[in-house]
Amino acid sequence: REHSTITMVGQPFAVSAGLSINKTAKFGIIDIGTGKAQKEKKAPKAELQEERSGPKEVKTGQHFAVSAGFSITRTAKFGIIDIGAGKSGPAKPARKEKKTPKAEVQETRSDPKDVNNATNGKAEAAKKDVEEVVDTDAMAAQVTKQSALVRTLKKSSASAEEIAAAVTELKSLKAALAAVGEDNPSDSFDRRTFDELIIRKMFVIPSFEIHGGVKGLFDLGPPACALKANMIDTWRKHFVLAEKMLEMECSCLTPEPVLKTSGHVERFTDLMVKDAVLGECFRADKLLEDAIDNFLEDPVNVGLTSEEKEAHLRIQRQADAFKPEELDTQLQKYGVKSPSGDNFGPCFPFNLMFKTSIGPEGTSVGYLRPETAQGLFVNFRRLLEYNAQKMPFAAAQIGLGFRNEIAPRSGLLRVREFCMGEIEHFVNPKDKKHPNFPSVAGKELVLFGRDEQLGSGKTKKMSMGVAVSTGYIDNETLAYFMARTQLFMEKIGMDPDRLRFRQHLATEMAHYACDCWDLEIQSSYGWVECVGHADRACYDLEVHGKDTNTSMLATLKYDTPVDSEIATIKFNRKLLGMAFKKEQRVVSAAMEQLAENWDDFEKVAKELETNGTAVVDGFNITKDMLTWKKTSKKVHEVKFTPSVIEPSFGMGRILYSLLEHSFSKRESDEKRIVMKFNPLVAPTKVAILPISSRDDVNAVVDKISAVLMESDISTRVDKATATLGKRYARADEVGVPLAVTVDFQTLVDDTVTLRERDSTVQVRLGMNKLTDLIGACVTGKLSWKDILNSYPVVQVSEDGEAEDSGSKPPAGAKTVVEVTSRGTFSRPV
């Protein structure tokens, strides 16, 4: 990389390290080994033309002059590139089938012959230019920004030309990003070995496997079941107990009126069509959109006028708004056929919720809940009463949700039945401070705000105190739960370097939401949303209260009375009765509620003064129905509908991410897999292994197991005849953090060895200290480093027998731990 020569423009060269030519607007010198450019005077056109003829192969790592606006970017190719034409030709078959040997590449990159110091200086000076070309973060941000623009144009019914231009630009940006390639964790992740381990050790298996299975349904085996239970137990202690939340367990079966009120019945519905022959189902609106694209791209229709094209594109934009009969007509108009070649059947609504009937009559419709939150919202009044009317407070629930996904994929990331943990924190909308916020104000999180998503594409590391004070995060309560979520993830053993919080773009948020941040975890599938943090404002309580005529109000009592501006209303009862009849009390109650706050009533008053009418809760009020005046009064308390801050945890996604983050291989032997679970959530805390199958040795093993189980420490006893090394490996594969070995020395002095999974280092200690030591270790109160400082390290021979490495070193003596092919031991410095 440091010593290279310049080759002629137009000459082909052998590409290594996955490099190929892509067109850019640059012109300069490119180091193939590093892919970095330096600027150079443009060569004369005649000279370029002459040099493009008669190409010959050059060595990898050499510099060359770039012409016609070409530069180097990464791909998975290996071959010969014609720089002049920018086209790739196949290399020799033997070389194309395999990568260039690493040693050969290194040799060609460091060849000191024909060094040109000036050239090397220019290469260093041009680093910034190339870094701009391959800045994938910035390119990804441009894609995000353009996607948001396309959504905005479609929602605002922009012209077809504007939308088409925006879509074309979006496709171009996506293609450019795909050509450069982003860093993908899956490139280095051994998915084949991981999947084999997950199934072989029965972490996760397909449901109803012997009957062929069903997509989107999975069963958790013994280790994953224990891992999930420990993870949820930690979640409950971290949130419910520590925050004194009110926990509930609500019914999974939800009546239709509840989900109609929340909007789920309407929002979760797509129109589908079915292939009568093959039985496959498809989204009807997507078929229509694709059909119109194909229609406009057909050469036969190239002569359409702009007005005719606009008419077709208008239909395309409305595809998801058509009624079933209208969509059927459009599909027939554009000749949409099923894969079998026949016409599709009529459109029918498909709801992502599982629908059922409640009771034998079949007249009461119900759904399996798509989320757990609605059960908490409808119980708000009773929760507030249970909490002695004190605000703010939080309610929590852990349970199953169900969504009839059209295309389940990505393992546990998109399934039809999943576990959720949801928190609903009810707070005064005018005071969203949190009393415990100072405890997390200094906690730094990786934040990916909407401006960065649409701009630089770079994340920021920022403390919660700074984020709230600068308005980067909307309020203290939202920031507090984001920080608490980060702490929970770190506690269960998630890799902090693969966590970030991404803010929803304006085009992603619901109209009632104030601010939303998703905790995303990086896995082999990329960045995956696992926890949502949303400020849902007052929407949920308002819609349920209005639909059921139930008060969802909380009370704020003042220590000393305050002056409040209100409106004093006098109704014309005769006109109200004539206009609204039995509903006049509902109308008057709505107006009186508005009158409690002049700021709320003033908007209605201005509309009545200007237009003579105003709409309040769906009722058309006229000016002659009431009179009003602005007054003030002493207020001892104020009523309000609480806002809701909602952290929503996808436990299944978190579980899968934890499996990936814990998966590793021994550096000394890649065939040995280790699941490095944090001891706090590990399925089994300690393995107990006898050195021999003798009865007296096994009796000690059983005794230790019983003592540990009495202290609620889960154990795994392995009395198999396999070598101790193989039994250690079996325990490592299911993530057991500690292993106790009972050997012949145990029968002499009641001591055993304790092995730590990640380092494989062992210490010897008395059996009477095991319970307290292991209990402290698996709860995080004691680290393995603390144990090493207190007990002697033992040497392990190749056959697995443990031998005391000597008595405990004298105070102040320095020792080091060494690892050899025969085991791990300590020795004096």
Side-chain angles (χ1 to χ4, degrees), residues 66-181:
V66 181
S67 68
F70 290 98
S71 67
I72 296 294
T73 55
R74 291 182 61 87
T75 69
K77 304 293 184 183
F78 181 88
I80 301 298
I81 303 291
D82 184 340
I83 303 169
K87 295 181 180 179
S88 174
K92 296 178 181 179
R95 295 182 65 187
K96 190 174 182 180
E97 292 173 359
K98 60 182 181 180
K99 295 181 180 179
T100 303
K102 188 173 182 180
E104 180 184 333
V105 174
Q106 186 65 31
E107 181 181 355
T108 58
R109 289 181 182 176
S110 58
D111 186 2
K113 296 180 180 180
D114 301 321
V115 178
N116 187 320
N117 292 329
T119 300
N120 291 330
K122 290 180 182 178
E124 288 296 324
K127 287 182 179 179
K128 293 183 179 179
D129 289 339
V130 174
E131 286 173 356
E132 291 176 0
V133 175
V134 295
D135 189 348
T136 57
D137 290 332
M139 296 180 71
Q142 288 297 318
V143 170
T144 303
K145 185 175 182 179
Q146 192 66 20
S147 299
L149 175 61
V150 170
R151 287 194 294 269
T152 302
L153 290 174
K154 288 185 175 181
K155 286 183 179 179
S156 60
S157 299
S159 67
E161 287 78 8
E162 287 182 290
I163 296 176
V167 170
T168 301
E169 177 65 15
L170 177 60
K171 290 180 179 178
S172 176
L173 290 171
K174 286 183 176 179
L177 181 60
V180 173

Side-chain angles (χ1 to χ4, degrees), residues 388-399:
Q389 305 294 326
K390 290 186 294 185
M391 288 285 295
F393 74 92
Q397 181 175 191
I398 300 175

Side-chain angles (χ1 to χ4, degrees), residues 631-649:
T631 60
S632 64
K633 68 175 183 178
K634 292 287 184 181
V635 176
H636 296 267
E637 63 181 30
V638 62
K639 302 285 186 181
F640 62 89
T641 302
S643 284
V644 178
I645 310 293
E646 180 190 68
S648 178
F649 294 74

Side-chain angles (χ1 to χ4, degrees), residues 634-692:
K634 292 287 184 181
V635 176
H636 296 267
E637 63 181 30
V638 62
K639 302 285 186 181
F640 62 89
T641 302
S643 284
V644 178
I645 310 293
E646 180 190 68
S648 178
F649 294 74
M651 294 300 185
R653 292 186 173 193
I654 296 173
L655 177 67
Y656 176 80
S657 301
L658 184 58
L659 289 172
E660 273 206 16
H661 284 208
S662 303
F663 176 78
S664 66
K665 300 178 181 179
R666 293 278 184 217
E667 292 184 4
S668 57
D669 185 358
E670 289 194 354
K671 293 183 179 180
R672 291 191 61 179
I673 307 301
V674 182
M675 296 298 286
K676 294 186 176 181
F677 296 127
N678 188 303
L680 187 66
V681 296
T684 304
K685 307 302 184 186
V686 58
I688 307 174
L689 314 173
I691 194 71
S692 167

Side-chain angles (χ1 to χ4, degrees), residues 666-669 672 755-762 784 788 793-796 815-827:
R666 293 278 184 217
E667 292 184 4
S668 57
D669 185 358
R672 291 191 61 179
R755 172 186 183 266
E756 197 266 338
R757 175 197 61 213
D758 298 344
S759 65
T760 71
V761 175
Q762 299 191 33
W784 182 250
L788 288 178
V793 176
V794 297
Q795 179 181 355
V796 182
T815 62
V816 294
V817 177
E818 286 195 359
V819 180
T820 71
S821 60
R822 294 186 60 80
T824 304
F825 62 95
S826 63
R827 65 169 178 77

Side-chain angles (χ1 to χ4, degrees), residues 438-573:
S439 66
V440 300
K443 179 64 177 176
E444 290 188 337
L445 305 184
V446 177
L447 303 177
F448 197 21
R450 61 171 64 100
D451 290 340
E452 284 70 40
Q453 294 175 57
L454 301 176
S456 66
K458 307 291 185 182
T459 58
K460 289 183 177 180
K461 198 166 188 180
M462 189 182 300
S463 71
M464 292 296 91
V466 172
V468 173
S469 63
T470 58
Y472 202 78
I473 297 176
D474 186 72
N475 57 78
E476 281 189 6
T477 299
L478 186 61
Y480 175 75
F481 280 109
M482 290 169 62
R484 291 289 292 167
T485 297
Q486 175 83 15
L487 292 171
F488 168 72
M489 293 297 172
E490 294 174 3
K491 183 180 288 188
I492 64 174
M494 212 71 76
D495 182 1
D497 293 334
R498 290 191 273 174
L499 302 177
R500 76 179 185 189
F501 288 84
R502 187 187 72 84
Q503 187 178 28
H504 283 203
L505 301 177
T507 53
E508 294 179 281
M509 290 203 302
H511 66 278
Y512 53 80
C514 298
D515 197 9
C516 299
W517 292 81
D518 290 338
L519 170 73
E520 296 183 331
I521 303 177
Q522 191 179 35
S523 69
S524 61
Y525 291 102
W527 289 100
V528 179
E529 171 198 345
C530 293
V531 186
H533 301 80
D535 184 339
R536 299 173 63 95
C538 309
Y539 174 79
D540 300 283
L541 295 182
E542 285 180 341
V543 294
H544 283 295
K546 181 180 178 180
D547 197 61
T548 60
N549 196 26
T550 302
S551 173
M552 294 290 192
L553 300 177
T555 304
L556 173 63
K557 294 185 178 182
Y558 296 118
D559 296 332
T560 57
V562 297
D563 290 325
S564 177
E565 293 182 333
I566 64 169
T568 302
I569 302 177
K570 185 176 181 180
F571 292 104
N572 186 330
R573 297 291 179 182

Side-chain angles (χ1 to χ4, degrees), residues 286-296 331 334-336:
K286 296 300 181 184
L287 289 175
L288 178 60
E289 290 174 1
D290 293 342
I292 294 175
D293 282 337
N294 295 334
F295 177 82
L296 295 177
L331 291 174
Y334 288 95
V336 178

